[in-house]
Amino acid sequence: MSRAWLIGAGPGDVELMTLKATRALGEADVVLVDDLVNPDVLQFARKDAQIVYVGKRGGQPSTSQAGIVEAMLTHLRAGRSVARLKGGDPFVFGRGGEEQQALAAVGVHVEIINGITAGIAAPAAIGIPVTHRDHAQGVVFVTGHGAGNGEPDWRALVATRMTLVIYMGMRRLNEIEAALLRAGMPAETPCAAIESATRPEQRHVRSTLNTLAAHVAAAGLGSPAIVVIGDVATLGESPIPHGDTV
Ligand code: SAH
């Protein structure tokens, strides 16, 4: 019986993949790989596995969600086991939920294998814990993308006084910064942006909220990056906010 897995590859560092993920990957006949997955993790795939890149590669448009589900079904119906490999955790801004639903609708059960999400791994990579008893009672993961469901209620998020971890926020960082200031977040709130976390090319910027977008632009930081906002961002390496890139 062929099997289907939705696997989180973690944030980049191959050693941050789970044992369960590497084992499942080693069983799959076909591996469908998303953008942001470090290709080095494919060392755990079978030598004869068929590897299919479905992300935006070389300027090509990415395969549509429907197209990916169709491809999975084609392989499964032909008796091939399929591993769907996603960056970070498949159920955190990874559309894993949508794929699970689409497969369930045609009676296919997909096994979920968690990965370490970038929203935790990227801050940790520079020593920032997303919660800390002295600094934040919780953490909110939020998309900065602004598409689809519209803008988050920034005022409500600021009122929680929890750490904000923003995924996909780099393109709209100016707007997000302005929205948070308008929502009453103090200008001097500590922030950090971490690009390509846990990979050799990792870089980061620390700043206060009112100069975050300017410092990120000056340093030339881009996607993929996580932005962490809140008192916890004073912790870790080079803990004084100064806007330098490291
Ligand atoms: N499922 C993934 C998130 C996918 S959304 C997860 O759980 O991590 C894509 C966003 O994730 C990027 O825009 C960026 O904000 C973040 N991201 C993924 N990998 C990253 C990395 N290595 N460093 C920094 N941010 C990363």
Side-chain angles (χ1 to χ4, degrees), residues 13-215:
D13 180 346
V14 173
E15 296 198 329
L16 288 176
M17 236 178 133
T18 65
L19 282 177
K20 199 169 182 120
T22 58
R23 282 192 190 132
L25 197 49
E27 282 185 46
D29 298 304
V30 182
V31 184
L32 301 181
V33 187
D34 256 20
D35 274 343
L36 295 182
V37 171
N38 183 350
D40 291 351
V41 304
L42 296 173
Q43 66 186 272
F44 300 112
R46 286 209 327 257
K47 294 285 164 274
D48 61 339
Q50 183 184 341
I51 310 287
V52 186
Y53 292 93
V54 293
K56 301 184 193 86
R57 296 224 134 203
Q60 299 297 308
S62 55
T63 314
S64 68
Q65 277 303 113
I68 291 168
V69 170
E70 238 357 273
M72 287 182 79
L73 287 174
T74 303
H75 290 299
L76 289 166
R77 286 173 179 147
R80 293 185 283 270
S81 293
V82 179
R84 178 81 178 91
L85 200 50
K86 289 170 173 286
D89 186 277
F91 274 5
V92 180
F93 301 124
R95 299 194 181 175
E98 293 167 38
E99 289 180 22
Q100 177 183 245
Q101 281 176 303
L103 292 167
V106 291
V108 173
H109 170 71
V110 62
E111 298 171 51
I112 310 301
I113 302 182
N114 292 111
I116 299 180
T117 190
I120 296 173
I126 60 166
I128 297 176
V130 291
T131 71
H132 186 296
R133 283 202 295 172
D134 298 338
H135 297 281
Q137 300 308 310
V139 52
V140 180
F141 295 129
V142 58
T143 171
H145 197 268
N149 305 332
E151 198 70 12
D153 183 343
W154 294 112
R155 192 167 289 278
L157 294 183
V158 171
T160 65
R161 302 170 59 82
M162 291 185 185
T163 305
L164 297 186
V165 169
I166 302 175
Y167 291 67
M168 296 172 277
M170 294 305 267
R171 229 170 18 86
R172 297 183 60 242
L173 204 51
N174 268 309
E175 288 163 65
I176 292 168
E177 176 185 311
L180 287 170
L181 291 169
R182 270 200 312 277
M185 185 176 268
E188 64 280 8
T189 305
C191 305
I194 309 104
E195 179 195 88
S196 299
T198 81
R199 296 206 184 200
E201 63 271 24
Q202 172 180 312
R203 298 191 300 158
H204 73 272
V205 161
R206 287 180 187 264
S207 172
T208 52
L209 177 62
N210 58 337
T211 56
L212 175 64
H215 280 136

